[in-house]
Amino acid sequence: MVKHDYILFDLDGTISKSADGIKYSLENAIKQMGKPVPDLSDYTLYIGPPLIDTFLNICHFSQEESLRGVEVYRDIYNTEGKFVNKAYDGIEELLKKIKADGKKIAVCSSKYELFAKEIIEILGLSQYFDAVCGSTLDGSRKDKKDLIPYALNSLGTSLEKDRENAVIIGDTYFDTKGAVQTGIDFVGASYGYGDIEQMKKEGGKVFADTPLEIYNLI
């Protein structure tokens, strides 16, 4: 039996193998902007952080160019990239077990919320989630410290009320950092795209090598 009542999942690299679709969309967005494409072989650089940060920090776009880059990326991702997604082996079985325990489950992703909802539908996992929570177009809700309270509210509780009963599962230090900032528990998905050492530096202590290992850690 899962001990936490509210289970939050990151999406990319935790629920879904999404790297190829993201890389494809990012490469083509940069090309459409008429800019040189940087080395995108290291997924940890751009899977996890908010999209605008990728354009600012990895592509070295200006703020205005980055905002435009986000728009171009989303157009490409919406028509092509989002379909290049596959759930990790064991994820559906894990979700079934958590659901059978009567717990509330939400996606908590820095991906644009509409895309997150569509991807969960594409993966055929919608029935397991009580809420799918993501970022806003205007960037006002993009960091995990803002997304975690929003996800808990969407599950019918609050950070203040159920901080000790909540856990987020994620594969990057952005997830770890958000958990630490909000005071909820964290389980690292070491099978994802992130760097375990970075997660440990942010305070991560518990890690799962496979989705099914997560069950006994939450």
Side-chain angles (χ1 to χ4, degrees):
M1 170 73 88
V2 171
K3 64 178 180 285
H4 295 86
D5 292 326
Y6 302 94
I7 321 296
L8 311 182
F9 282 89
D10 176 50
L11 182 54
D12 298 320
T14 303
I15 295 172
S16 68
K17 295 179 183 178
S18 55
D20 290 343
I22 292 172
K23 183 180 179 184
Y24 172 86
S25 303
L26 188 55
E27 283 178 343
N28 282 278
I30 296 166
K31 288 174 184 174
Q32 279 195 32
M33 295 281 291
K35 300 283 189 176
V37 178
D39 181 5
L40 299 176
S41 58
D42 184 357
Y43 292 137
T44 64
L45 295 175
Y46 55 92
I47 296 181
L51 186 56
I52 192 166
D53 291 356
T54 297
F55 285 107
L56 286 167
N57 302 326
I58 307 302
C59 304
H60 305 294
F61 285 12
S62 68
Q63 180 75 20
E64 185 177 347
E65 288 171 336
S66 296
L67 289 170
R68 176 61 185 149
V70 168
E71 291 179 4
V72 175
Y73 172 94
R74 283 177 171 152
D75 284 342
I76 297 168
Y77 192 83
N78 189 39
T79 54
E80 299 177 74
K82 71 184 181 186
F83 297 105
V84 188
N85 262 293
K86 182 183 178 185
Y88 282 99
D89 292 340
I91 277 291
E92 185 166 13
E93 188 177 344
L94 170 66
L95 293 171
K96 278 182 183 176
K97 290 176 74 171
I98 297 171
K99 204 71 178 169
D101 287 344
K103 306 301 184 176
K104 293 287 185 89
I105 312 174
V107 170
C108 183
S109 171
S110 58
K111 187 182 291 297
Y112 176 40
E113 185 166 285
L114 177 61
F115 290 169
K117 289 179 178 178
E118 289 174 343
I119 287 164
I120 290 299
E121 288 177 8
I122 289 167
L123 296 176
L125 300 175
S126 298
Q127 68 269 33
Y128 302 110
F129 291 96
D130 300 287
V132 178
C133 304
S135 65
T136 50
L137 280 174
D138 64 7
S140 60
R141 187 179 68 233
K142 63 183 178 68
D143 295 322
K144 288 292 163 80
K145 67 178 172 54
D146 303 313
L147 285 158
I148 288 168
Y150 169 63
L152 290 173
N153 289 341
S154 299
L155 293 178
T157 187
S158 67
L159 186 63
E160 293 72 24
K161 181 181 176 184
D162 274 304
R163 193 187 312 269
E164 294 179 356
N165 296 317
V167 60
I168 184 166
I169 299 108
D171 69 311
T172 73
Y173 76 93
F174 295 97
D175 303 300
T176 322
K177 187 175 181 180
V180 170
Q181 287 175 324
T182 55
I184 72 170
D185 287 339
F186 170 78
V187 173
S190 59
Y191 58 82
Y193 301 121
D195 184 286
I196 294 177
E197 292 308 313
Q198 284 186 329
M199 287 189 271
K200 286 180 178 177
K201 283 179 184 177
E202 287 292 341
K205 294 176 180 152
V206 181
F207 298 90
D209 292 331
T210 68
L212 284 175
E213 283 183 24
I214 292 167
Y215 185 80
N216 293 325
L217 299 175
I218 59 174

